[in-house]
Amino acid sequence: MWSLAWKNVRRGRGRSLLTGAAVAAVVALMMIMYGFSGAVVNGMFQNMTRSTGHLILRVKNADKIREFERGLIQDAPALQERLARALPGADVEAMLEVPALLAGEKRSRGVLLYGLEPGGRLMKEFVTKKLTAGGPPQDDGDWSAALGRALARALKVKVGDGVYAFVPNTSGIGAAAFTVSGLVALPESTMEARTAVITLAAAQELAAPNAASRIVIFLPGLVSPTQQGRLEQARSKLAPLVPAGFELLTWRQAEPAMAAILDMMTPLLLIYAVIFFVLAGLLVVNTVYLGLVERIREFGVIIALGADRWRIMRLVIIESLLLVLSGAAVGAALGGLAVWRMSHGFSLPGPLARQYAEFGLPVVMYASITPAQVALVFAFALLTALASALWPAWLAGRLEPVEAMRHVA
Amino acid sequence: MNALIEARNLHKVYKTDGVETPALRGANLTVKAGEFTAIAGPSGSGKSTLLHLLGGLDRPTEGEVWLDGERLDDKNAVERARLRLWKVGFVFQAYNLIPVLTALENAAFVLELRGRPSAERRERALAALAELELDGYAERRPNQLSGGQQQRVAVARALAAEPAVIFADEPTANLDSKTGLALIEYMKRLNREKGVTFVFSTHDPRLLEHVRRVVHLEDGRIAGEEVRG
């Protein structure tokens, strides 16, 4: 039956080729779209988690606490060390965010001072990679600070000038002078106008000795939001170490808006898949139906020779399956090749890349597709083949042998 | 000998756009296993209709059809298809081979429908083709064969499945008289040597001289029967 079906598919060569090519195009397109979406999602995930970390330890509901002192992790280094010991290979960094008044010679602004570990991943992400002038903050002798460009403009200061930070009513020294070590360009201009980065030690001495507002954990090899299992595994490993009154958040909980954007990709692609496969399905229906109409006499003979209606329906469905799946195989090969090439890195055209960088999209992206996504594309193709064959198969199954053999096409 | 086929008071009326056309008007017929029977009659006498009813391709409006001890006329389409598959062979006027299959594949087709293993299918189909002297044509497609050869492949297709009976509806109508006569001789030899039961229809009186039992059909009724010694 399979052999006969295959010969029948090849019989209407031009029509079968056209339909197979349409299915191949849809499958290839879907694979490229999945590869592209993998690149976007992974790129955004990596971009985001480079600044948020994969797991974050903080005081419970810290974002809702108004008083500075109540939102702090006291004795942060000890806790940081315990967490690092529990997760070998992970980077565990503390950061201290201090609301402050920063003043230049003539102007002052309310800012958020970020105290980061020199040489740490957060410092690299927030400062080193974004420097437009000068260098990162230091605490060897004189304290220095890297300022957002917009903030420096507002304060009318430049690299090498002095600024003064005031943090009243804290357990630290409360006020200190900093030299502007460098200027950083941040993706959002509002953030750039209120950000200054100093070293963790300087922030702690200024406002909260030995404390941190959060401890950020970077897990090794976590490059995609689909690796949820690894994240949960690390989280449960750390859970017993979390003191009462604290919470250990995943990046999803810390950045729910971004998580929602990334999660939207899956249903969005499913909608595209449905649209594309329905269009391809219409072509398949047309091909299978015309194949049936042209061979009504032949179907009549096959029924006369003893094939029952189920077998006839099976023959029509098998023809549709062969047509679609062979097209899908070609499409998967072409799509796979394209995704493989894109997996070595690709960029959007210049202006687009710059525009999308604002939303956290990396300039160079790396396509990736999971076996489950490939399986999903094939499942769609399979479903298309079956759905497209149903009506012609039903018609074929209802043929009466005598009438069918008298049919004139 | 018990009857292999029995038709009792068969009526068949076709309805087209509300107009009723009677094709059979109470035909009775009995065929025993191993017989070689011709149904003769002019065009429109109901020969094809009778063969279709006897072979389970269609259901009578009235009357009963029995084949190898099973009643056919009260069976549904699926049951009749199963009965045709296992007990009936057909040879049609227009050969009706499947054009994308080779002669061998066509001859093996019914066996494939029966789900027989491919080695057995091949062996039996080759043997059937050999019986019809088509040994050298196994790999040819129908469009590479003459009309007579195609009809012999159709006979081989029926023969390979070893059915209880082979119905041939005007098998020589599309052949020249010499080729048609040759085909009848092949069928006679299979009947004689292998005991295959044949029931075939024809309106060609020249062929009837070569047949032992001839049933004459006129206006949907059995008009008479000749049995030659």
Side-chain angles (χ1 to χ4, degrees):
Chain A
M1 202 55 91
W2 285 85
S3 151
L4 175 62
W6 180 241
K7 285 173 178 170
N8 284 332
V9 168
R10 288 175 55 194
R11 190 192 300 196
R13 197 161 292 174
R15 204 163 49 218
S16 294
L17 271 177
L18 181 72
T19 309
V23 172
V26 167
V27 167
L29 190 67
M30 282 314 301
M31 286 188 59
I32 291 169
M33 282 179 72
Y34 269 114
F36 181 76
S37 110
V40 169
V41 167
N42 292 350
M44 288 173 84
F45 171 79
Q46 287 161 24
N47 251 5
M48 181 192 61
T49 52
R50 268 199 288 269
S51 51
T52 63
H54 300 116
L55 290 166
I56 298 132
L57 183 84
R58 67 178 193 187
V59 170
K60 200 169 266 178
N61 298 320
D63 50 334
K64 295 190 182 81
I65 296 173
R66 290 261 177 213
E67 300 110 274
F68 174 66
E69 295 280 345
R70 276 190 54 211
L72 294 178
I73 305 166
Q74 303 297 346
D75 198 12
L79 185 55
Q80 194 179 345
E81 197 188 325
R82 281 203 299 278
L83 295 173
R85 259 207 312 272
L87 279 181
D91 286 331
V92 182
E93 290 183 22
M95 72 182 286
L96 179 61
E97 293 160 82
V98 183
L101 183 74
L102 199 66
E105 283 299 324
K106 294 177 180 167
R107 293 180 175 191
S108 61
R109 287 285 185 276
V111 299
L112 205 55
L113 289 175
Y114 290 90
L116 305 177
E117 294 179 20
R121 290 173 67 155
L122 291 171
M123 184 67 87
K124 188 180 167 199
E125 188 58 29
F126 273 106
V127 181
T128 317
K129 281 168 69 178
K130 297 184 169 71
L131 276 172
T132 57
Q138 306 289 334
D139 54 5
D140 46 351
D142 285 336
W143 283 347
S144 58
L147 271 56
R149 283 182 314 180
L151 177 61
R153 271 199 303 275
L155 295 177
K156 288 190 177 291
V157 294
K158 56 185 186 301
V159 174
D161 289 350
V163 287
Y164 308 93
F166 299 98
V167 191
N169 304 323
T170 60
S171 52
I173 56 173
F178 291 85
T179 307
V180 178
S181 67
L183 302 179
V184 292
L186 297 175
E188 290 175 52
S189 49
T190 50
M191 194 183 175
E192 204 181 83
R194 55 186 291 270
T195 295
V197 182
I198 58 177
T199 64
L200 178 64
Q204 286 174 331
E205 198 169 332
L206 181 66
N210 233 16
S213 47
R214 64 172 80 179
I215 294 174
V216 176
I217 298 151
F218 298 94
L219 300 173
L222 198 63
V223 293
S224 167
T226 56
Q227 294 168 297
Q228 190 66 16
R230 290 188 59 181
L231 191 68
E232 289 303 332
Q233 201 180 6
R235 191 189 192 190
S236 37
K237 216 168 175 180
L238 296 182
L241 302 176
V242 178
F246 287 75
E247 60 188 0
L248 185 62
L249 304 177
T250 64
W251 65 271
R252 278 185 174 276
Q253 293 162 312
E255 298 286 344
M258 183 60 91
I261 290 174
L262 297 185
D263 289 345
M264 242 168 51
M265 289 288 190
T266 305
L268 203 66
L269 284 176
L270 275 179
I271 291 169
Y272 277 124
V274 168
I275 293 170
F276 289 149
F277 275 105
V278 163
L279 291 176
L282 290 175
L283 259 179
V284 179
V285 171
N286 180 58
T287 302
V288 176
Y289 177 72
L290 286 179
L292 165 69
V293 169
E294 286 169 359
R295 290 182 289 132
I296 283 186
R297 275 176 70 99
E298 212 172 295
F299 278 107
V301 173
I302 296 172
I303 297 168
L305 294 177
D308 60 32
R309 70 176 53 177
W310 309 117
R311 199 183 284 259
I312 292 294
M313 288 172 78
R314 209 159 68 213
L315 177 64
V316 176
I317 290 170
I318 289 173
E319 285 182 22
S320 175
L321 278 174
L322 288 174
L323 180 66
V324 171
L325 292 183
S326 44
V330 173
L334 294 175
L337 194 69
V339 171
W340 176 76
R341 287 201 64 169
M342 288 163 70
S343 71
H344 290 83
F346 69 97
S347 298
L348 293 175
L352 263 184
R354 278 194 292 279
Q355 197 179 344
Y356 283 110
E358 294 265 336
F359 300 100
L361 202 67
V363 175
V364 178
M365 293 184 284
Y366 301 90
S368 77
I369 188 163
T370 63
Q373 288 167 333
V374 177
L376 186 73
V377 172
F378 268 92
F380 262 108
L382 194 68
L383 201 69
T384 304
L386 293 175
S388 307
L390 277 184
W391 179 57
W394 184 77
L395 290 178
R398 284 170 56 87
L399 290 174
E400 287 295 331
V402 175
E403 285 173 28
M405 283 191 292
R406 284 187 189 134
H407 179 82
V408 180
Chain B
M1 201 185 288
N2 289 331
L4 177 67
I5 302 161
E6 196 169 354
R8 296 177 190 160
N9 190 30
L10 279 190
H11 288 260
K12 181 69 184 177
V13 179
Y14 292 108
K15 282 184 191 167
T16 313
D17 298 329
V19 179
E20 292 193 348
T21 312
L24 284 179
R25 306 162 192 256
N28 291 287
L29 179 71
T30 302
V31 176
K32 290 175 184 165
E35 275 193 327
F36 192 82
T37 307
I39 311 283
S43 289
S45 60
K47 303 186 295 296
S48 293
T49 302
L50 180 60
L51 286 193
H52 291 160
L53 296 183
L54 296 180
L57 282 177
D58 206 352
R59 289 167 77 170
T61 312
E62 195 187 323
E64 291 177 16
V65 181
W66 293 77
L67 173 65
D68 202 17
E70 283 195 69
R71 187 168 170 182
L72 266 181
D73 55 275
D74 61 354
K75 291 195 167 13
N76 65 29
V78 174
E79 290 168 335
R80 279 186 285 123
R82 193 173 341 111
L83 210 110
R84 288 196 301 272
L85 178 62
W86 290 96
K87 294 198 170 175
V88 179
F90 281 105
V91 177
F92 304 101
Q93 179 179 333
Y95 326 135
N96 284 353
L97 298 177
I98 298 170
V100 287
L101 301 183
T102 62
L104 178 64
E105 289 165 335
N106 265 293
F109 189 73
V110 177
L111 295 170
E112 190 181 347
L113 289 179
R114 286 185 188 173
R116 304 310 304 163
S118 76
E120 182 191 329
R121 294 200 306 257
R122 184 180 168 80
E123 187 187 332
R124 285 172 65 175
L126 281 173
L129 288 173
E131 288 286 351
L132 276 300
E133 296 180 36
L134 286 166
D135 312 60
Y137 301 88
E139 296 308 322
R140 291 204 188 174
R141 293 263 171 86
N143 62 2
Q144 297 167 319
L145 298 170
S146 69
Q149 286 167 335
Q150 285 188 58
Q151 197 59 303
R152 274 149 64 197
V153 173
V155 176
R157 175 171 67 188
L159 184 69
E162 295 175 7
V165 56
I166 295 176
F167 293 104
D169 186 11
E170 305 252 15
T172 60
N174 285 8
L175 304 176
D176 61 67
S177 58
K178 190 176 159 197
T179 314
L181 194 58
L183 184 79
I184 296 297
E185 287 304 327
Y186 277 114
M187 288 162 57
K188 275 177 71 179
R189 183 169 58 77
L190 291 169
N191 169 257
R192 195 170 55 243
E193 293 175 4
K194 294 192 163 292
V196 181
T197 307
F198 277 97
V199 180
F200 75 100
S201 63
T202 183
H203 62 269
D204 186 347
R206 288 171 302 176
L207 292 179
L208 301 179
E209 295 165 16
H210 303 268
V211 181
R212 185 168 172 271
R213 183 186 179 205
V214 180
V215 175
H216 292 279
L217 202 60
E218 268 179 38
D219 295 330
R221 292 191 186 89
I222 305 291
E225 185 177 329
E226 294 171 59
V227 180
R228 298 193 178 91

Coordinates of all heavy atoms in Angstrom, one line a residue, chain B residues 43-86:
Chain B
S43 N -26.4 -6.3 -26.0 CA -26.2 -5.1 -25.1 C -27.5 -4.7 -24.5 O -28.5 -4.7 -25.1 CB -25.6 -3.9 -25.9 OG -24.3 -4.2 -26.4
G44 N -27.4 -4.4 -23.2 CA -28.6 -4.0 -22.4 C -29.4 -5.1 -21.9 O -30.5 -4.9 -21.3
S45 N -29.0 -6.3 -22.1 CA -29.8 -7.5 -21.6 C -29.6 -7.7 -20.1 O -30.4 -8.5 -19.5 CB -29.4 -8.7 -22.4 OG -28.0 -9.0 -22.2
G46 N -28.6 -7.1 -19.5 CA -28.4 -7.2 -18.1 C -27.2 -8.1 -17.7 O -27.1 -8.5 -16.5
K47 N -26.4 -8.4 -18.7 CA -25.2 -9.3 -18.4 C -24.3 -8.8 -17.3 O -24.0 -9.4 -16.3 CB -24.4 -9.6 -19.6 CG -25.1 -10.1 -20.8 CD -24.2 -10.5 -21.9 CE -23.5 -9.2 -22.5 NZ -24.4 -8.3 -23.2
S48 N -23.9 -7.5 -17.5 CA -22.9 -6.9 -16.5 C -23.6 -6.8 -15.2 O -23.0 -7.1 -14.1 CB -22.5 -5.5 -17.0 OG -21.8 -5.6 -18.2
T49 N -24.9 -6.4 -15.2 CA -25.6 -6.2 -13.9 C -25.6 -7.6 -13.2 O -25.3 -7.6 -11.9 CB -27.0 -5.7 -14.1 OG1 -26.9 -4.5 -14.8 CG2 -27.8 -5.5 -12.8
L50 N -25.9 -8.6 -13.9 CA -26.0 -10.0 -13.3 C -24.6 -10.3 -12.7 O -24.5 -10.8 -11.5 CB -26.4 -11.0 -14.3 CG -26.5 -12.4 -13.8 CD1 -27.5 -12.5 -12.7 CD2 -26.9 -13.4 -14.9
L51 N -23.5 -10.1 -13.4 CA -22.2 -10.4 -12.9 C -21.9 -9.6 -11.7 O -21.3 -10.1 -10.7 CB -21.1 -10.2 -14.0 CG -21.1 -11.2 -15.1 CD1 -19.8 -11.1 -15.9 CD2 -21.1 -12.7 -14.6
H52 N -22.2 -8.3 -11.7 CA -22.0 -7.4 -10.6 C -22.7 -7.9 -9.3 O -22.1 -7.9 -8.2 CB -22.4 -6.0 -10.9 CG -21.5 -5.3 -11.9 ND1 -21.9 -4.2 -12.6 CD2 -20.3 -5.6 -12.4 CE1 -21.0 -3.9 -13.5 NE2 -20.0 -4.7 -13.4
L53 N -23.9 -8.4 -9.5 CA -24.7 -8.9 -8.4 C -24.1 -10.2 -7.9 O -24.0 -10.4 -6.7 CB -26.2 -9.0 -8.7 CG -26.9 -7.7 -9.1 CD1 -28.4 -8.1 -9.4 CD2 -26.8 -6.7 -8.0
L54 N -23.7 -11.1 -8.8 CA -23.2 -12.4 -8.4 C -21.9 -12.2 -7.7 O -21.5 -13.0 -6.8 CB -23.0 -13.3 -9.6 CG -24.3 -13.7 -10.4 CD1 -23.9 -14.6 -11.6 CD2 -25.2 -14.4 -9.5
G55 N -21.1 -11.2 -8.1 CA -19.8 -11.0 -7.5 C -19.8 -10.1 -6.3 O -18.7 -9.8 -5.8
G56 N -21.0 -9.6 -5.9 CA -21.0 -8.8 -4.7 C -20.6 -7.3 -4.9 O -20.3 -6.6 -3.9
L57 N -20.5 -6.9 -6.2 CA -20.1 -5.5 -6.4 C -21.3 -4.6 -6.2 O -21.1 -3.4 -5.9 CB -19.7 -5.3 -7.9 CG -18.3 -5.8 -8.2 CD1 -18.0 -5.6 -9.7 CD2 -17.3 -5.0 -7.4
D58 N -22.5 -5.1 -6.3 CA -23.7 -4.3 -6.1 C -24.8 -5.2 -5.4 O -24.6 -6.4 -5.3 CB -24.2 -3.9 -7.5 CG -25.0 -2.6 -7.5 OD1 -25.3 -2.1 -6.4 OD2 -25.4 -2.1 -8.6
R59 N -25.8 -4.6 -4.9 CA -26.9 -5.3 -4.2 C -28.1 -5.3 -5.1 O -28.5 -4.3 -5.7 CB -27.2 -4.7 -2.9 CG -26.0 -4.9 -1.9 CD -26.2 -4.0 -0.7 NE -27.2 -4.6 0.2 CZ -27.4 -4.1 1.4 NH1 -26.7 -3.1 1.9 NH2 -28.3 -4.6 2.2
P60 N -28.8 -6.5 -5.1 CA -30.1 -6.5 -5.9 C -31.2 -5.7 -5.3 O -31.2 -5.5 -4.1 CB -30.4 -8.0 -5.9 CG -29.8 -8.5 -4.7 CD -28.6 -7.7 -4.4
T61 N -32.2 -5.3 -6.1 CA -33.3 -4.6 -5.5 C -34.2 -5.6 -4.8 O -34.8 -5.4 -3.8 CB -34.1 -3.9 -6.7 OG1 -33.2 -3.2 -7.5 CG2 -35.2 -3.0 -6.2
E62 N -34.2 -6.8 -5.4 CA -35.0 -7.9 -4.8 C -34.3 -9.2 -5.2 O -33.6 -9.3 -6.2 CB -36.4 -7.9 -5.5 CG -37.4 -8.7 -4.7 CD -38.7 -8.7 -5.5 OE1 -39.1 -7.7 -6.2 OE2 -39.4 -9.8 -5.6
G63 N -34.5 -10.2 -4.4 CA -33.9 -11.5 -4.7 C -32.7 -11.8 -3.8 O -32.3 -11.0 -3.0
E64 N -32.2 -13.0 -4.0 CA -31.1 -13.5 -3.1 C -29.9 -13.9 -4.0 O -30.1 -14.5 -5.0 CB -31.5 -14.7 -2.3 CG -32.5 -14.3 -1.2 CD -33.0 -15.6 -0.4 OE1 -32.3 -16.6 -0.5 OE2 -34.0 -15.5 0.2
V65 N -28.7 -13.7 -3.4 CA -27.5 -14.2 -4.1 C -26.7 -15.0 -3.0 O -26.4 -14.5 -1.9 CB -26.6 -13.0 -4.6 CG1 -25.3 -13.6 -5.3 CG2 -27.3 -12.1 -5.6
W66 N -26.3 -16.2 -3.4 CA -25.5 -17.0 -2.5 C -24.2 -17.3 -3.2 O -24.2 -17.7 -4.3 CB -26.2 -18.3 -2.1 CG -27.5 -18.1 -1.3 CD1 -28.7 -17.6 -1.7 CD2 -27.5 -18.3 0.1 NE1 -29.5 -17.5 -0.6 CE2 -28.9 -17.9 0.5 CE3 -26.7 -18.7 1.1 CZ2 -29.3 -18.0 1.8 CZ3 -27.1 -18.8 2.4 CH2 -28.4 -18.4 2.8
L67 N -23.1 -17.2 -2.4 CA -21.8 -17.5 -3.0 C -21.0 -18.3 -2.0 O -20.8 -17.9 -0.8 CB -21.0 -16.2 -3.3 CG -19.5 -16.4 -3.7 CD1 -19.5 -17.1 -5.1 CD2 -18.8 -15.1 -3.8
D68 N -20.7 -19.6 -2.4 CA -19.9 -20.5 -1.6 C -20.5 -20.6 -0.2 O -19.8 -20.5 0.9 CB -18.5 -20.0 -1.4 CG -17.5 -21.1 -1.1 OD1 -17.9 -22.3 -1.2 OD2 -16.4 -20.8 -0.6
G69 N -21.9 -20.7 -0.1 CA -22.6 -20.9 1.1 C -22.9 -19.7 1.9 O -23.5 -19.7 3.0
E70 N -22.5 -18.5 1.4 CA -22.7 -17.3 2.1 C -23.7 -16.4 1.4 O -23.6 -16.2 0.1 CB -21.5 -16.5 2.4 CG -20.6 -17.0 3.5 CD -19.5 -16.1 3.9 OE1 -19.8 -15.0 4.5 OE2 -18.3 -16.3 3.6
R71 N -24.7 -15.8 2.1 CA -25.6 -14.9 1.4 C -25.0 -13.6 1.2 O -24.5 -13.0 2.2 CB -26.9 -14.8 2.2 CG -28.0 -14.1 1.5 CD -29.3 -14.2 2.2 NE -30.3 -13.3 1.6 CZ -31.5 -13.2 2.0 NH1 -32.0 -13.9 3.0 NH2 -32.3 -12.3 1.4
L72 N -25.1 -13.1 0.0 CA -24.4 -11.8 -0.3 C -25.2 -10.6 -0.3 O -24.8 -9.5 0.1 CB -23.8 -11.9 -1.8 CG -22.4 -12.3 -2.0 CD1 -22.1 -12.3 -3.5 CD2 -21.5 -11.4 -1.3
D73 N -26.5 -10.8 -0.7 CA -27.4 -9.6 -0.9 C -27.7 -8.8 0.4 O -28.1 -7.6 0.3 CB -28.6 -10.0 -1.6 CG -29.4 -11.1 -0.9 OD1 -29.1 -12.2 -1.0 OD2 -30.3 -10.7 0.0
D74 N -27.6 -9.5 1.6 CA -27.9 -8.7 2.8 C -26.7 -8.2 3.5 O -26.8 -7.8 4.6 CB -28.8 -9.6 3.7 CG -28.0 -10.9 4.2 OD1 -26.9 -11.1 3.6 OD2 -28.5 -11.6 5.0
K75 N -25.5 -8.3 2.9 CA -24.3 -7.8 3.5 C -24.0 -6.4 3.2 O -24.4 -5.9 2.1 CB -23.1 -8.7 3.1 CG -23.2 -10.1 3.6 CD -21.9 -10.8 3.4 CE -21.7 -12.1 4.2 NZ -22.9 -12.7 4.7
N76 N -23.4 -5.7 4.2 CA -23.1 -4.3 3.9 C -21.8 -4.2 3.0 O -21.2 -5.2 2.7 CB -22.9 -3.5 5.2 CG -21.8 -4.0 6.0 OD1 -20.8 -4.5 5.5 ND2 -21.9 -3.8 7.4
A77 N -21.4 -3.0 2.7 CA -20.3 -2.7 1.8 C -19.0 -3.3 2.3 O -18.2 -3.9 1.5 CB -20.1 -1.2 1.5
V78 N -18.7 -3.2 3.5 CA -17.5 -3.7 4.1 C -17.5 -5.2 4.1 O -16.5 -5.8 3.7 CB -17.3 -3.1 5.5 CG1 -16.0 -3.8 6.2 CG2 -17.1 -1.6 5.5
E79 N -18.6 -5.8 4.4 CA -18.6 -7.3 4.4 C -18.5 -7.8 3.0 O -17.9 -8.9 2.8 CB -20.0 -7.8 5.1 CG -20.0 -7.5 6.5 CD -21.4 -7.7 7.1 OE1 -22.4 -7.5 6.3 OE2 -21.5 -7.9 8.3
R80 N -19.2 -7.2 2.1 CA -19.1 -7.6 0.7 C -17.7 -7.4 0.1 O -17.2 -8.3 -0.6 CB -20.1 -6.9 -0.2 CG -21.5 -7.4 -0.1 CD -22.5 -6.8 -1.1 NE -22.8 -5.5 -0.6 CZ -22.7 -4.4 -1.3 NH1 -22.2 -4.4 -2.5 NH2 -23.0 -3.2 -0.8
A81 N -17.0 -6.4 0.5 CA -15.6 -6.2 0.1 C -14.7 -7.3 0.6 O -13.9 -7.8 -0.1 CB -15.1 -4.8 0.6
R82 N -15.0 -7.7 1.9 CA -14.2 -8.8 2.4 C -14.4 -10.1 1.7 O -13.5 -10.9 1.3 CB -14.5 -9.0 3.9 CG -13.4 -9.8 4.6 CD -13.6 -10.0 6.1 NE -14.3 -8.9 6.7 CZ -15.5 -9.1 7.3 NH1 -16.1 -10.3 7.2 NH2 -16.2 -8.2 7.9
L83 N -15.7 -10.3 1.3 CA -16.0 -11.5 0.6 C -15.4 -11.5 -0.8 O -14.9 -12.5 -1.3 CB -17.6 -11.6 0.5 CG -18.0 -13.0 0.5 CD1 -18.8 -13.4 1.7 CD2 -19.0 -13.2 -0.7
R84 N -15.4 -10.4 -1.5 CA -14.8 -10.3 -2.8 C -13.3 -10.5 -2.7 O -12.7 -11.2 -3.5 CB -15.0 -8.9 -3.4 CG -16.4 -8.6 -3.8 CD -16.5 -7.3 -4.7 NE -15.9 -6.1 -4.1 CZ -16.7 -5.3 -3.4 NH1 -17.9 -5.5 -3.2 NH2 -16.1 -4.2 -2.9
L85 N -12.7 -10.0 -1.6 CA -11.3 -10.1 -1.5 C -10.9 -11.6 -1.4 O -9.9 -12.0 -1.9 CB -10.8 -9.3 -0.2 CG -9.4 -9.4 0.1 CD1 -8.5 -8.8 -1.0 CD2 -9.1 -8.6 1.4
W86 N -11.6 -12.3 -0.7 CA -11.2 -13.7 -0.4 C -11.8 -14.8 -1.3 O -11.3 -15.8 -1.4 CB -11.5 -14.1 1.1 CG -10.7 -13.3 2.0 CD1 -10.9 -12.1 2.6 CD2 -9.3 -13.6 2.4 NE1 -9.9 -11.7 3.4 CE2 -8.8 -12.6 3.2 CE3 -8.4 -14.7 2.1 CZ2 -7.6 -12.6 3.8 CZ3 -7.2 -14.7 2.6 CH2 -6.7 -13.7 3.5

